[in-house]
Amino acid sequence: MEKTFLMVKPDGVQRELIGEILTRFEKKGFQLVGAKLMTISNELAEEHYGEHKERPFFGSLVDFITSGPVFAMVWQGENVISTARQMMGSTNPKDAAPATIRGDYGLTVGKNIIHGSDSPESAEREISLFFKEGELVEYSKLI
Ligand code: CMP
């Protein structure tokens, strides 16, 4: 079953959007297989956003993502990686369509509420950065 890594960023947690975001993905039909409220260390932030290391905004991105608690999640379901990206909306909330998370709740590209893996490779990398194998649940054994 395809899995993706999603994270409510510090602005989304502070604005009490965790419940709203969980509801959107649950109602869509995806299954939550892992979740934790945590504060990201500088080291983890630099690793997670490593591909942006040379960008001028890298420093402010790391400062922001470590500035307060985040809600890290793993979701599973058919085409969850691309569908979750559609549900999140464009990276820059000013370009995000209404009825997407960023379209409805975001204003600026720095504080864009939520992060989601952009490919199967990123999903695998990001899930293993934030979660140990034993921290993810299985639903297949439910009777
Ligand atoms: P995210 O999906 O978490 O992945 C990288 C993040 O970099 C992105 O969301 C934005 O929040 C952030 N980002 C992208 N471009 C800029 C920018 N020009 N200034 C500040 N942050 C940016």
Side-chain angles (χ1 to χ4, degrees):
M1 183 74 80
E2 187 171 284
K3 290 184 175 61
T4 196
F5 174 74
L6 301 179
M7 172 168 66
V8 183
K9 297 186 181 185
D11 54 330
V13 174
Q14 195 171 13
R15 291 177 53 198
E16 303 181 335
L17 292 171
I18 293 175
E20 164 70 21
I21 289 169
L22 283 172
T23 299
R24 287 187 181 216
F25 290 107
E26 280 188 319
K27 287 195 168 167
K28 180 68 181 168
F30 294 127
Q31 286 180 316
L32 184 64
V33 293
K36 59 172 87 164
L37 188 65
M38 60 186 284
T39 305
I40 300 183
S41 66
N42 259 57
E43 192 184 15
L44 178 57
E46 286 176 11
E47 174 93 40
H48 172 65
Y49 280 130
E51 67 180 291
H52 301 296
K53 213 175 172 71
E54 305 306 324
R55 304 275 187 98
F57 58 82
F58 183 69
S60 59
L61 180 58
V62 169
D63 286 349
F64 173 61
I65 208 70
T66 57
S67 67
V70 300
F71 191 65
M73 301 165 279
V74 179
W75 289 85
Q76 72 179 13
E78 212 163 309
N79 299 315
V80 67
I81 298 172
S82 61
T83 304
R85 298 272 299 180
Q86 284 174 1
M87 291 169 67
M88 287 160 49
S90 300
T91 302
N92 193 333
K94 84 175 167 52
D95 304 320
T100 63
I101 292 166
R102 289 164 173 159
D104 286 351
Y105 301 116
L107 279 177
T108 64
V109 70
K111 293 184 177 175
N112 64 353
I113 316 283
I114 186 167
H115 168 85
S117 307
D118 62 3
S119 66
E121 295 72 31
S122 303
E124 200 178 321
R125 190 181 77 84
E126 293 173 355
I127 290 168
S128 62
L129 266 181
F130 283 83
F131 289 89
K132 298 187 193 97
E133 216 164 283
E135 292 175 331
L136 302 183
V137 300
E138 280 180 39
Y139 291 91
S140 54
K141 290 177 189 158
L142 284 181
I143 50 169

